[in-house]
Amino acid sequence: MGLEDEIEELREEIAETPYNKSTEAHIGRLKSKLAQKKEKLENQSSSGGGQGYAVEKTGDATVALVGFPSVGKSTLINALTNADSEIGEYEFTTLNVNPGMLKYRGANIQILDVPGLIEGAAGGRGGGKEVLSVVRTADLVVFVLSVFEIDQYERLRHELYENKVRLDTDPPNISVRKTHKDGIQVTMRDTVSLDEATVKDVLRAHGFVNADVTIPHDLTIDELIDGVMDNREYLPSIVTVNKADLIDEDYLPTVNEDLREHDIDPDDAIFISAVEEKGLDVLRERIFDALGLIRIYMDKPSRGVDYEEPLVLREGDTVGDACAKLGGSFDERFKFARVSGPSAKHDEQQVGQGHELADEDVLRIVARK
């Protein structure tokens, strides 16, 4: 029996096993075996060669446009950026990853037009694994759906999930530390619904014999396995609905209902027409916000504040992060900084490298000569 058959057999057994407290540990073992066999199959496939998509990440952040073939991604990237992606009214127009650069609010945001995904992509159909490997390196996933095929969303999310991409969620906050004796010791909050036996069975299935495990919050078996394997990518996402110019007004309630059926709030979806370049200003703003980018205006000695080309960082970044991005020897020569703006208590506040910056702060770094 090949790995594919073993994987399918495990999936069938999981689907046929009713979930309750008495079967929880058994399902945990099955899902652990499934995750390991999928990992083994993926490693075998990747070691077998084949051409992948090598894309150098540039700019301040990277966004992957994800959609089925012929949904309009190539038209969209051409409208958003300086890319020149081939456009056609047939499937599989884009056969290589095509990057473009969106310049917005002083930020350089790399947009990747990846080949259209098809069902079974995570298993290798249509070069899907190569495509998905590019998506995993992005900072944001932008789903591009056809207004007439909203159900594509669920299928796309499934392919990403199967390729270890977790959307719009945080990594499980669990700690697993290998020890040399005493077996598997589990410390859990009262709010954790999983049995201790289930946790131990999952750990044993992944090769742990002695370990200290701490679980501070409730989580599912799948999330526990994700935390143990520790090789998932956690990415934010937004949803665009393309070809909105082709629908009549009386069809809009149907589209909104289709979105709700897939747990998408119609008010959160961005209705666009890539062909007519409608809705793109809203999309640009949502991309910038979803990436959590902030603009820092540098106060340069003898030249004043540069408002034209800000230093672009991420929410939560500090003066130390700014020094690192500026490069040179700022880290070594740093004395202090002065900050004016939203993060400062007053203008020209003197701060150290640990000070957390905010959007549109003015920063002056004072360094030793």
Side-chain angles (χ1 to χ4, degrees):
M1 182 183 291
L3 270 175
E4 292 94 340
D5 295 327
E6 292 176 18
I7 288 170
E8 188 57 35
E9 197 172 84
L10 282 167
R11 282 177 171 152
E12 289 176 2
E13 186 174 354
I14 291 168
E16 293 170 0
T17 304
Y19 184 92
N20 52 54
K21 277 297 176 184
S22 64
T23 63
E24 182 181 83
H26 176 62
I27 290 175
R29 290 191 293 271
L30 292 176
K31 288 190 171 185
S32 294
K33 287 181 183 178
L34 177 62
Q36 289 174 311
K37 289 187 182 297
K38 285 166 62 179
E39 190 89 355
K40 186 176 180 181
L41 180 62
E42 180 181 329
N43 291 337
Q44 285 183 358
S45 301
S46 60
S47 63
Q51 185 174 2
Y53 297 101
V55 179
E56 181 183 359
K57 292 185 70 173
T58 61
D60 299 301
T62 300
V63 175
L65 301 183
V66 173
F68 275 71
S70 300
V71 78
K73 300 189 308 302
S74 297
T75 306
L76 178 58
I77 193 174
N78 290 344
L80 286 174
T81 75
N82 57 0
D84 184 18
S85 187
E86 184 183 352
I87 301 168
E89 293 300 322
Y90 47 90
E91 292 192 350
F92 306 108
T93 304
T94 303
L95 300 177
N96 294 296
V97 176
N98 188 44
M101 192 65 70
L102 166 63
K103 297 181 181 293
Y104 185 69
R105 293 188 189 174
N108 293 311
I109 302 171
Q110 184 183 40
I111 310 289
L112 301 180
D113 170 19
V114 300
L117 291 176
I118 59 174
E119 286 185 272
R125 289 190 64 202
K129 285 190 175 180
E130 291 85 353
V131 174
L132 290 165
S133 68
V134 173
V135 176
R136 282 169 56 86
T137 67
D139 301 299
L140 172 69
V141 172
V142 174
F143 288 103
V144 185
L145 308 178
S146 166
V147 72
F148 301 109
E149 295 180 274
I150 302 300
D151 65 331
Q152 292 174 340
Y153 177 70
E154 211 62 48
R155 292 144 65 192
L156 291 167
R157 283 186 68 101
H158 173 75
E159 295 299 337
L160 291 175
Y161 187 91
E162 288 293 300
N163 200 57
K164 299 178 289 192
V165 175
R166 304 295 181 255
L167 296 171
D168 306 313
T169 188
D170 295 322
N173 181 26
I174 68 173
S175 170
V176 180
R177 183 176 60 86
K178 284 187 176 181
T179 57
H180 298 292
K181 58 180 181 178
D182 299 329
I184 297 174
Q185 304 298 315
V186 181
T187 303
M188 300 189 296
R189 289 268 182 93
D190 293 338
T191 53
V192 178
S193 57
L194 292 179
D195 285 340
E196 184 175 318
T198 300
V199 175
K200 289 183 176 180
D201 279 348
V202 168
L203 268 290
R204 291 191 189 101
H206 288 276
F208 288 89
V209 178
N210 301 295
D212 286 335
V213 184
T214 303
I215 304 178
H217 59 84
D218 196 19
L219 77 176
T220 65
I221 291 176
D222 292 317
E223 290 169 335
L224 174 61
I225 293 170
D226 284 349
V228 171
M229 297 195 77
D230 194 30
N231 62 353
R232 280 42 172 155
E233 295 294 333
Y234 293 82
L235 303 176
S237 72
I238 58 179
V239 175
T240 66
V241 181
N242 193 24
K243 305 180 183 179
D245 55 304
L246 300 180
I247 64 170
D248 296 326
E249 189 173 338
D250 56 1
Y251 184 69
L252 184 58
T254 300
V255 177
N256 289 340
E257 185 57 34
D258 288 343
L259 289 168
R260 293 188 190 96
E261 286 182 4
H262 294 285
D263 295 323
I264 305 170
D265 187 335
D267 291 334
D268 291 335
I270 307 163
F271 286 80
I272 64 170
S273 169
V275 170
E276 297 190 1
E277 300 192 7
K278 292 181 178 179
L280 300 191
D281 286 342
V282 175
L283 177 56
R284 292 184 184 97
E285 183 176 1
R286 286 283 297 279
I287 286 174
F288 186 92
D289 292 342
L291 287 167
L293 300 178
I294 60 173
R295 297 155 294 174
I296 306 302
Y297 303 119
M298 299 303 300
D299 187 352
K300 301 176 180 179
S302 73
R303 287 180 286 173
V305 180
D306 182 0
Y307 290 103
E308 296 300 317
E309 296 186 12
L311 180 69
V312 179
L313 301 174
R314 299 294 181 93
E315 291 175 355
D317 279 355
T318 64
V319 171
D321 294 315
C323 290
K325 187 159 187 179
L326 288 168
S329 56
F330 277 111
D331 280 340
E332 300 170 3
R333 297 166 48 228
F334 181 87
K335 289 176 63 177
F336 60 87
R338 293 197 181 277
V339 178
S340 300
S343 77
K345 294 179 181 178
H346 53 78
D347 285 349
E348 296 285 310
Q349 180 186 353
Q350 182 173 320
V351 299
Q353 291 198 43
H355 177 82
E356 187 173 312
L357 296 165
D359 188 35
E360 298 195 279
D361 274 346
V362 174
L363 172 66
R364 175 154 50 94
I365 295 173
V366 179
R368 299 180 183 89
K369 295 183 178 179

Short mmCIF file of all heavy atoms in Angstrom, two decimals, residues 288-342:
data_model
loop_
_atom_site.label_atom_id
_atom_site.label_comp_id
_atom_site.label_asym_id
_atom_site.label_seq_id
_atom_site.Cartn_x
_atom_site.Cartn_y
_atom_site.Cartn_z
N PHE A 288 -2.85 47.61 2.79
CA PHE A 288 -1.92 48.33 3.67
C PHE A 288 -2.27 48.07 5.13
O PHE A 288 -1.40 47.75 5.95
CB PHE A 288 -1.98 49.82 3.36
CG PHE A 288 -0.96 50.65 4.10
CD1 PHE A 288 0.27 50.92 3.53
CD2 PHE A 288 -1.24 51.16 5.36
CE1 PHE A 288 1.21 51.69 4.21
CE2 PHE A 288 -0.31 51.91 6.04
CZ PHE A 288 0.92 52.19 5.47
N ASP A 289 -3.56 48.19 5.46
CA ASP A 289 -3.98 48.00 6.86
C ASP A 289 -3.80 46.56 7.31
O ASP A 289 -3.38 46.29 8.44
CB ASP A 289 -5.45 48.42 7.03
CG ASP A 289 -5.65 49.92 6.86
OD1 ASP A 289 -4.66 50.67 6.96
OD2 ASP A 289 -6.80 50.34 6.62
N ALA A 290 -4.13 45.59 6.43
CA ALA A 290 -4.03 44.18 6.81
C ALA A 290 -2.58 43.76 7.05
O ALA A 290 -2.31 42.86 7.85
CB ALA A 290 -4.66 43.30 5.73
N LEU A 291 -1.65 44.41 6.37
CA LEU A 291 -0.24 44.10 6.56
C LEU A 291 0.31 44.70 7.85
O LEU A 291 1.40 44.34 8.29
CB LEU A 291 0.58 44.62 5.36
CG LEU A 291 0.44 43.83 4.06
CD1 LEU A 291 1.04 44.61 2.91
CD2 LEU A 291 1.09 42.46 4.18
N GLY A 292 -0.44 45.60 8.44
CA GLY A 292 0.02 46.22 9.68
C GLY A 292 1.24 47.11 9.50
O GLY A 292 2.12 47.17 10.36
N LEU A 293 1.30 47.80 8.36
CA LEU A 293 2.45 48.65 8.08
C LEU A 293 2.31 50.01 8.76
O LEU A 293 1.20 50.53 8.92
CB LEU A 293 2.60 48.85 6.57
CG LEU A 293 2.83 47.58 5.73
CD1 LEU A 293 2.92 47.93 4.26
CD2 LEU A 293 4.07 46.84 6.19
N ILE A 294 3.41 50.57 9.16
CA ILE A 294 3.44 51.93 9.71
C ILE A 294 4.54 52.72 9.00
O ILE A 294 5.55 52.16 8.56
CB ILE A 294 3.67 51.95 11.24
CG1 ILE A 294 5.00 51.29 11.61
CG2 ILE A 294 2.50 51.28 11.95
CD1 ILE A 294 5.35 51.42 13.09
N ARG A 295 4.34 54.03 8.91
CA ARG A 295 5.30 54.92 8.24
C ARG A 295 6.02 55.78 9.28
O ARG A 295 5.36 56.44 10.10
CB ARG A 295 4.58 55.81 7.24
CG ARG A 295 3.91 55.07 6.10
CD ARG A 295 2.75 55.86 5.53
NE ARG A 295 1.68 56.00 6.52
CZ ARG A 295 0.59 56.74 6.32
NH1 ARG A 295 0.45 57.41 5.20
NH2 ARG A 295 -0.34 56.80 7.25
N ILE A 296 7.33 55.75 9.22
CA ILE A 296 8.14 56.55 10.13
C ILE A 296 8.91 57.59 9.31
O ILE A 296 9.65 57.24 8.38
CB ILE A 296 9.15 55.66 10.91
CG1 ILE A 296 8.41 54.50 11.61
CG2 ILE A 296 9.94 56.50 11.90
CD1 ILE A 296 7.34 54.94 12.58
N TYR A 297 8.69 58.86 9.63
CA TYR A 297 9.36 59.94 8.91
C TYR A 297 10.68 60.27 9.63
O TYR A 297 10.68 60.65 10.80
CB TYR A 297 8.47 61.17 8.85
CG TYR A 297 7.12 60.89 8.21
CD1 TYR A 297 5.94 61.07 8.92
CD2 TYR A 297 7.03 60.43 6.90
CE1 TYR A 297 4.70 60.81 8.34
CE2 TYR A 297 5.81 60.16 6.30
CZ TYR A 297 4.65 60.35 7.03
OH TYR A 297 3.44 60.07 6.46
N MET A 298 11.77 60.09 8.91
CA MET A 298 13.07 60.28 9.51
C MET A 298 13.47 61.76 9.49
O MET A 298 13.38 62.43 8.46
CB MET A 298 14.13 59.47 8.76
CG MET A 298 13.88 57.96 8.76
SD MET A 298 13.74 57.26 10.43
CE MET A 298 15.36 57.69 11.11
N ASP A 299 13.90 62.24 10.65
CA ASP A 299 14.43 63.60 10.80
C ASP A 299 15.93 63.51 10.57
O ASP A 299 16.67 63.03 11.44
CB ASP A 299 14.11 64.13 12.19
CG ASP A 299 14.48 65.59 12.36
OD1 ASP A 299 15.13 66.15 11.45
OD2 ASP A 299 14.14 66.18 13.41
N LYS A 300 16.38 63.93 9.40
CA LYS A 300 17.77 63.75 9.01
C LYS A 300 18.59 65.00 9.32
O LYS A 300 18.12 66.13 9.05
CB LYS A 300 17.85 63.42 7.52
CG LYS A 300 17.08 62.14 7.17
CD LYS A 300 17.09 61.87 5.68
CE LYS A 300 16.32 60.59 5.36
NZ LYS A 300 16.30 60.31 3.90
N PRO A 301 19.77 64.83 9.89
CA PRO A 301 20.60 65.99 10.25
C PRO A 301 20.82 66.93 9.07
O PRO A 301 21.15 66.48 7.96
CB PRO A 301 21.93 65.34 10.68
CG PRO A 301 21.55 63.96 11.09
CD PRO A 301 20.41 63.56 10.21
N SER A 302 20.59 68.18 9.30
CA SER A 302 20.81 69.29 8.34
C SER A 302 19.88 69.24 7.14
O SER A 302 19.91 70.11 6.28
CB SER A 302 22.27 69.33 7.86
OG SER A 302 22.54 68.25 6.96
N ARG A 303 19.02 68.18 7.04
CA ARG A 303 18.11 68.09 5.90
C ARG A 303 16.64 68.14 6.30
O ARG A 303 15.77 68.23 5.45
CB ARG A 303 18.39 66.80 5.11
CG ARG A 303 19.68 66.83 4.31
CD ARG A 303 19.90 65.54 3.55
NE ARG A 303 20.32 64.46 4.45
CZ ARG A 303 20.45 63.19 4.08
NH1 ARG A 303 20.18 62.84 2.84
NH2 ARG A 303 20.86 62.29 4.95
N GLY A 304 16.35 68.05 7.59
CA GLY A 304 14.97 68.11 8.05
C GLY A 304 14.25 66.79 7.92
O GLY A 304 14.85 65.73 7.70
N VAL A 305 12.95 66.85 8.07
CA VAL A 305 12.12 65.63 8.07
C VAL A 305 11.79 65.22 6.64
O VAL A 305 11.31 66.04 5.84
CB VAL A 305 10.82 65.86 8.86
CG1 VAL A 305 9.97 64.58 8.87
CG2 VAL A 305 11.13 66.28 10.29
N ASP A 306 12.03 63.95 6.32
CA ASP A 306 11.73 63.41 4.99
C ASP A 306 10.32 62.81 5.00
O ASP A 306 10.11 61.70 5.48
CB ASP A 306 12.76 62.34 4.62
CG ASP A 306 12.53 61.78 3.21
OD1 ASP A 306 11.58 62.23 2.55
OD2 ASP A 306 13.31 60.91 2.80
N TYR A 307 9.37 63.57 4.47
CA TYR A 307 7.99 63.09 4.40
C TYR A 307 7.70 62.37 3.08
O TYR A 307 6.63 61.81 2.91
CB TYR A 307 7.01 64.27 4.55
CG TYR A 307 6.98 64.85 5.94
CD1 TYR A 307 7.63 66.05 6.23
CD2 TYR A 307 6.28 64.21 6.97
CE1 TYR A 307 7.59 66.59 7.50
CE2 TYR A 307 6.24 64.74 8.25
CZ TYR A 307 6.90 65.93 8.51
OH TYR A 307 6.87 66.47 9.78
N GLU A 308 8.65 62.40 2.16
CA GLU A 308 8.43 61.82 0.83
C GLU A 308 8.70 60.32 0.80
O GLU A 308 7.97 59.56 0.16
CB GLU A 308 9.31 62.53 -0.20
CG GLU A 308 8.99 64.00 -0.39
CD GLU A 308 7.57 64.23 -0.84
OE1 GLU A 308 7.10 63.49 -1.73
OE2 GLU A 308 6.92 65.15 -0.30
N GLU A 309 9.75 59.89 1.48
CA GLU A 309 10.11 58.46 1.48
C GLU A 309 10.24 57.98 2.93
O GLU A 309 11.34 57.94 3.49
CB GLU A 309 11.42 58.24 0.73
CG GLU A 309 11.33 58.57 -0.75
CD GLU A 309 12.60 58.22 -1.50
OE1 GLU A 309 13.45 57.52 -0.92
OE2 GLU A 309 12.74 58.64 -2.65
N PRO A 310 9.13 57.61 3.54
CA PRO A 310 9.18 57.17 4.93
C PRO A 310 9.88 55.82 5.08
O PRO A 310 9.97 55.04 4.13
CB PRO A 310 7.70 57.06 5.31
CG PRO A 310 7.00 56.79 4.02
CD PRO A 310 7.76 57.55 2.99
N LEU A 311 10.36 55.56 6.28
CA LEU A 311 10.84 54.23 6.64
C LEU A 311 9.61 53.42 7.01
O LEU A 311 8.85 53.79 7.90
CB LEU A 311 11.80 54.33 7.84
CG LEU A 311 12.39 53.01 8.33
CD1 LEU A 311 13.37 52.44 7.31
CD2 LEU A 311 13.08 53.20 9.69
N VAL A 312 9.39 52.29 6.33
CA VAL A 312 8.18 51.50 6.54
C VAL A 312 8.50 50.32 7.44
O VAL A 312 9.37 49.50 7.15
CB VAL A 312 7.60 51.00 5.20
CG1 VAL A 312 6.36 50.15 5.44
CG2 VAL A 312 7.25 52.20 4.32
N LEU A 313 7.79 50.24 8.56
CA LEU A 313 7.96 49.17 9.54
C LEU A 313 6.61 48.48 9.78
O LEU A 313 5.64 48.76 9.08
CB LEU A 313 8.51 49.75 10.85
CG LEU A 313 9.85 50.48 10.78
CD1 LEU A 313 10.17 51.12 12.13
CD2 LEU A 313 10.97 49.53 10.37
N ARG A 314 6.57 47.60 10.77
CA ARG A 314 5.34 46.90 11.12
C ARG A 314 4.84 47.37 12.48
O ARG A 314 5.62 47.81 13.34
CB ARG A 314 5.58 45.38 11.19
CG ARG A 314 6.05 44.76 9.87
CD ARG A 314 4.97 44.84 8.81
NE ARG A 314 5.41 44.22 7.57
CZ ARG A 314 5.18 42.96 7.24
NH1 ARG A 314 4.53 42.16 8.07
NH2 ARG A 314 5.61 42.49 6.09
N GLU A 315 3.53 47.26 12.70
CA GLU A 315 2.97 47.58 14.00
C GLU A 315 3.70 46.80 15.09
O GLU A 315 3.93 45.60 14.93
CB GLU A 315 1.48 47.25 14.02
CG GLU A 315 0.63 48.15 13.14
CD GLU A 315 -0.83 47.72 13.09
OE1 GLU A 315 -1.14 46.65 13.68
OE2 GLU A 315 -1.64 48.41 12.45
N GLY A 316 4.05 47.47 16.16
CA GLY A 316 4.78 46.82 17.24
C GLY A 316 6.29 46.96 17.14
O GLY A 316 7.02 46.62 18.08
N ASP A 317 6.78 47.44 15.99
CA ASP A 317 8.23 47.62 15.84
C ASP A 317 8.74 48.76 16.71
O ASP A 317 7.99 49.70 17.05
CB ASP A 317 8.60 47.89 14.38
CG ASP A 317 8.67 46.60 13.55
OD1 ASP A 317 8.52 45.51 14.13
OD2 ASP A 317 8.85 46.70 12.32
N THR A 318 10.00 48.68 17.05
CA THR A 318 10.61 49.63 17.98
C THR A 318 11.68 50.47 17.28
O THR A 318 12.00 50.25 16.10
CB THR A 318 11.27 48.87 19.14
OG1 THR A 318 12.34 48.05 18.60
CG2 THR A 318 10.27 47.97 19.86
N VAL A 319 12.24 51.39 18.04
CA VAL A 319 13.36 52.19 17.53
C VAL A 319 14.52 51.26 17.13
O VAL A 319 15.19 51.48 16.13
CB VAL A 319 13.82 53.21 18.59
CG1 VAL A 319 15.11 53.90 18.16
CG2 VAL A 319 12.73 54.25 18.83
N GLY A 320 14.71 50.19 17.89
CA GLY A 320 15.75 49.22 17.55
C GLY A 320 15.50 48.57 16.20
O GLY A 320 16.43 48.35 15.42
N ASP A 321 14.23 48.27 15.91
CA ASP A 321 13.89 47.70 14.60
C ASP A 321 14.17 48.71 13.48
O ASP A 321 14.61 48.34 12.39
CB ASP A 321 12.42 47.28 14.57
CG ASP A 321 12.11 46.14 15.52
OD1 ASP A 321 12.90 45.17 15.54
OD2 ASP A 321 11.10 46.22 16.25
N ALA A 322 13.90 49.99 13.77
CA ALA A 322 14.20 51.03 12.78
C ALA A 322 15.69 51.09 12.50
O ALA A 322 16.12 51.20 11.35
CB ALA A 322 13.68 52.38 13.28
N CYS A 323 16.50 51.01 13.56
CA CYS A 323 17.96 51.03 13.38
C CYS A 323 18.41 49.84 12.53
O CYS A 323 19.27 49.98 11.65
CB CYS A 323 18.65 50.98 14.74
SG CYS A 323 18.49 52.49 15.71
N ALA A 324 17.82 48.67 12.80
CA ALA A 324 18.20 47.47 12.05
C ALA A 324 17.85 47.61 10.57
O ALA A 324 18.62 47.21 9.70
CB ALA A 324 17.51 46.24 12.65
N LYS A 325 16.68 48.19 10.27
CA LYS A 325 16.27 48.33 8.88
C LYS A 325 17.09 49.40 8.16
O LYS A 325 17.38 49.28 6.97
CB LYS A 325 14.79 48.66 8.77
CG LYS A 325 14.28 48.65 7.33
CD LYS A 325 12.80 48.47 7.21
CE LYS A 325 12.39 48.31 5.75
NZ LYS A 325 10.93 48.09 5.59
N LEU A 326 17.50 50.43 8.89
CA LEU A 326 18.34 51.46 8.29
C LEU A 326 19.72 50.92 7.94
O LEU A 326 20.37 51.39 7.01
CB LEU A 326 18.47 52.65 9.24
CG LEU A 326 17.21 53.52 9.39
CD1 LEU A 326 17.37 54.46 10.58
CD2 LEU A 326 16.93 54.30 8.11
N GLY A 327 20.15 49.90 8.69
CA GLY A 327 21.45 49.28 8.40
C GLY A 327 22.60 50.12 8.87
O GLY A 327 22.47 50.99 9.75
N GLY A 328 23.75 49.87 8.28
CA GLY A 328 24.94 50.59 8.70
C GLY A 328 25.35 50.18 10.11
O GLY A 328 25.21 49.03 10.51
N SER A 329 25.83 51.13 10.87
CA SER A 329 26.31 50.83 12.24
C SER A 329 25.47 51.52 13.29
O SER A 329 25.95 51.83 14.38
CB SER A 329 27.78 51.27 12.37
OG SER A 329 27.91 52.65 12.05
N PHE A 330 24.19 51.77 12.97
CA PHE A 330 23.33 52.47 13.93
C PHE A 330 23.21 51.71 15.24
O PHE A 330 23.17 52.32 16.32
CB PHE A 330 21.94 52.71 13.33
CG PHE A 330 21.86 53.92 12.45
CD1 PHE A 330 21.68 53.80 11.09
CD2 PHE A 330 21.96 55.19 13.00
CE1 PHE A 330 21.61 54.91 10.28
CE2 PHE A 330 21.89 56.32 12.20
CZ PHE A 330 21.72 56.19 10.82
N ASP A 331 23.13 50.38 15.18
CA ASP A 331 23.00 49.60 16.41
C ASP A 331 24.19 49.84 17.34
O ASP A 331 24.02 50.02 18.55
CB ASP A 331 22.92 48.10 16.07
CG ASP A 331 21.52 47.71 15.62
OD1 ASP A 331 20.58 48.45 15.93
OD2 ASP A 331 21.38 46.66 14.96
N GLU A 332 25.38 49.85 16.78
CA GLU A 332 26.59 49.99 17.59
C GLU A 332 26.79 51.42 18.07
O GLU A 332 27.28 51.66 19.18
CB GLU A 332 27.82 49.54 16.78
CG GLU A 332 27.74 48.08 16.32
CD GLU A 332 28.83 47.74 15.33
OE1 GLU A 332 29.67 48.63 15.05
OE2 GLU A 332 28.83 46.60 14.82
N ARG A 333 26.42 52.39 17.22
CA ARG A 333 26.69 53.79 17.52
C ARG A 333 25.52 54.50 18.21
O ARG A 333 25.63 55.67 18.58
CB ARG A 333 27.03 54.54 16.22
CG ARG A 333 28.29 54.03 15.54
CD ARG A 333 28.41 54.54 14.11
NE ARG A 333 28.17 55.97 14.03
CZ ARG A 333 27.37 56.54 13.15
NH1 ARG A 333 26.71 55.80 12.26
NH2 ARG A 333 27.19 57.84 13.16
N PHE A 334 24.42 53.80 18.42
CA PHE A 334 23.20 54.42 18.95
C PHE A 334 23.43 55.00 20.35
O PHE A 334 23.96 54.34 21.24
CB PHE A 334 22.08 53.37 19.01
CG PHE A 334 20.78 53.91 19.51
CD1 PHE A 334 19.86 54.49 18.65
CD2 PHE A 334 20.45 53.83 20.86
CE1 PHE A 334 18.65 54.96 19.10
CE2 PHE A 334 19.25 54.31 21.33
CZ PHE A 334 18.34 54.88 20.45
N LYS A 335 23.04 56.28 20.54
CA LYS A 335 23.06 56.91 21.86
C LYS A 335 21.65 57.03 22.40
O LYS A 335 21.33 56.51 23.46
CB LYS A 335 23.70 58.31 21.77
CG LYS A 335 25.21 58.28 21.51
CD LYS A 335 25.76 59.68 21.33
CE LYS A 335 25.60 60.54 22.57
NZ LYS A 335 26.23 61.88 22.39
N PHE A 336 20.78 57.68 21.64
CA PHE A 336 19.36 57.79 21.99
C PHE A 336 18.62 58.28 20.76
O PHE A 336 19.21 58.58 19.72
CB PHE A 336 19.15 58.74 23.18
CG PHE A 336 19.61 60.15 22.94
CD1 PHE A 336 18.77 61.10 22.34
CD2 PHE A 336 20.89 60.56 23.30
CE1 PHE A 336 19.19 62.40 22.11
CE2 PHE A 336 21.32 61.86 23.07
CZ PHE A 336 20.48 62.79 22.48
N ALA A 337 17.32 58.35 20.87
CA ALA A 337 16.50 58.85 19.76
C ALA A 337 15.51 59.86 20.30
O ALA A 337 15.19 59.87 21.50
CB ALA A 337 15.77 57.70 19.06
N ARG A 338 15.02 60.69 19.39
CA ARG A 338 13.96 61.63 19.76
C ARG A 338 12.76 61.36 18.85
O ARG A 338 12.91 61.23 17.64
CB ARG A 338 14.42 63.08 19.62
CG ARG A 338 15.50 63.44 20.64
CD ARG A 338 15.67 64.94 20.80
NE ARG A 338 16.70 65.25 21.76
CZ ARG A 338 16.52 65.28 23.08
NH1 ARG A 338 15.33 64.99 23.59
NH2 ARG A 338 17.52 65.59 23.89
N VAL A 339 11.59 61.27 19.47
CA VAL A 339 10.37 60.91 18.75
C VAL A 339 9.31 61.95 18.98
O VAL A 339 9.06 62.39 20.11
CB VAL A 339 9.84 59.53 19.19
CG1 VAL A 339 8.54 59.19 18.46
CG2 VAL A 339 10.87 58.45 18.94
N SER A 340 8.66 62.36 17.90
CA SER A 340 7.47 63.21 17.96
C SER A 340 6.36 62.48 17.21
O SER A 340 6.62 61.82 16.20
CB SER A 340 7.71 64.57 17.33
OG SER A 340 8.77 65.26 17.98
N GLY A 341 5.14 62.60 17.70
CA GLY A 341 4.05 61.95 17.00
C GLY A 341 3.19 61.09 17.91
O GLY A 341 3.25 61.21 19.14
N PRO A 342 2.39 60.20 17.34
CA PRO A 342 1.41 59.42 18.10
C PRO A 342 2.00 58.60 19.25
O PRO A 342 1.32 58.39 20.27
CB PRO A 342 0.79 58.50 17.05
CG PRO A 342 0.97 59.22 15.76
CD PRO A 342 2.27 59.94 15.89
#
